[in-house]
Every structure is written in C-alpha cells, then in structure tokens.
Amino acid sequence: MCALQLDGKQACVAVYFGEGAASEGDFHAAVNFASTLGAPVIFICRNNGWAISTPATEQYRGDGIAGRGPSYGIASIRVDGGDARAVYNATAEARRIAVANSCPVLIEAMSYRSGHHSTSDDSSRYRTTDEMNRWRARDPVMRFQSLLLASDWWDAEKEKDLRLSLRQEVLRALEAAQKEPKAPLSDLFTDGT
C-alpha cells in the first residue's frame, strides 16, 4: 500500500525514464516493488532506440521494454511516442487501470531522439545523417500541427499570432530578468537554500 492509497486518493504516480535506464537494476527493483505492493504507478519508458550512443540492439534482446511487464505481473502498453493523441490515450488508459486496480502499468513510447543526448554527445558519430533526416520527417510537433490544420482546429493566422505573442512574452521576461541584480560569485558554491 502506498501513501496515495492510505490517503484514500483516486490517483496514481507517473515516472519517466529511457530504455537505457531499463537496463539498470533500479528499474527492475522499482517495477517489482510496485507490482508486489500493488502500487498505482505508471512507468513511462521513452524508447528512442539509443542509450546515449548504444543502440537498442546492443542493450537488450527480446521485444523491447513492454515485453518485460508480464514477467512482473503488470499490464503493458506499447504506443507510437510520436503521436500525441496515441500517447494521451495510452496514458489515460494506464491511469484508469492503475487507479481502478491499485496496480502498476508499463507504457513503452516508441520514439526517436533527433538531437544529441547531451551537450557532451555528438550523435553524428554513431548515427547517419540519412537516419536522422528520416526521423525528423516524422517530427511529433509537425505531425500534431498537421492534424490540427487538417481538422480545422488551427490555421496559419492563429499560428502567426501565437508565435508573435509568445516572442513578445519571452522578450518581456528577458528584459525583466536583465534588470534583476546579479548574484555574487560566491553563490556558485551554495546549495540555493
């Protein structure tokens, strides 16, 4: 039993991780504990095919991360991580299951990391330009925008107005931040509390 259940709340917890983290012992311990204790947790794995520079084919054998759920006795859902509506629906269903049954659910969102893993990573060393371009053509933001436009829920004029409004908002925030006094260099060595 977890704190949410003790408080009588109809809620669950969501945790996010990449498929590389699913190769760590912490993942297996967390899923096993959640399953054993009947904790309403949604484990959301963003499987982008790469654990930093290690391809998924060298990380694990078998059918991805969702295939691990049944071995822990938990429901699993695999979804196109680039489809916002599909991810929303999968998450809503996972939440329904987790709360109604006081149990964990595993979601594997199949996606792609179109940029570098971090500032110290140069993904062009291990991924081809062609591969990255193919995936960028399936950009989730552009896919969702296309859906909105095709459904007449959005148009070019609204897009232009929103971009202008947001740009002005960011510029105002930058101007306000620039007026704030600079922190002393000694603050670099404090914990911020």
Side-chain angles (χ1 to χ4, degrees):
M1 183 158 280
C2 72
L4 289 172
Q5 294 163 312
L6 291 171
D7 288 343
K9 294 183 177 173
Q10 293 293 305
C12 65
V13 174
V15 296
Y16 299 84
F17 57 98
E19 83 285 352
S23 295
E24 300 292 329
D26 292 345
F27 164 79
H28 298 282
V31 172
N32 188 51
F33 269 102
S35 178
T36 303
L37 298 174
V41 180
I42 304 172
F43 290 92
I44 303 173
C45 175
R46 184 180 130 205
N47 188 341
N48 63 30
W50 294 92
I52 305 178
S53 60
T54 305
T57 56
E58 294 178 20
Q59 292 178 64
Y60 54 81
R61 296 287 182 252
D63 186 25
I65 307 306
R68 298 177 188 185
S71 64
Y72 289 101
I74 66 173
S76 296
I77 302 168
R78 179 172 289 138
V79 64
D80 176 355
D83 182 337
R85 290 186 315 158
V87 171
Y88 174 84
N89 289 329
T91 305
E93 179 62 9
R95 183 192 185 286
R96 187 193 66 72
I97 293 168
V99 171
N101 301 313
S102 292
C103 67
V105 179
L106 173 61
I107 296 175
E108 181 179 19
M110 305 305 289
S111 62
Y112 189 75
R113 174 174 43 88
S114 60
H116 306 300
H117 179 77
S118 65
T119 56
S120 63
D121 177 43
D122 178 6
S123 60
S124 66
R125 292 184 303 129
Y126 52 87
R127 299 188 301 183
T128 66
T129 302
D130 184 52
E131 174 189 338
M132 290 188 279
N133 288 338
R134 277 195 322 271
W135 278 96
R136 283 188 182 125
R138 298 183 63 220
D139 177 89
V141 174
M142 298 305 294
R143 288 170 65 186
F144 193 66
Q145 184 181 38
S146 294
L147 168 72
L148 295 176
L149 292 169
S151 302
D152 288 328
W153 296 334
W154 196 245
D155 60 44
E157 192 62 31
K158 288 179 186 174
E159 179 79 17
K160 180 181 153 197
D161 292 345
L162 178 64
R163 286 182 180 271
L164 178 61
S165 170
L166 292 174
R167 179 176 172 77
Q168 291 169 342
E169 183 179 339
V170 168
L171 290 173
R172 284 192 302 273
L174 284 171
E175 287 174 12
Q178 288 171 340
K179 292 176 184 172
E180 291 293 318
K182 303 288 186 263
L185 283 176
S186 61
D187 279 4
L188 286 172
F189 305 102
T190 64
D191 67 2
T193 57

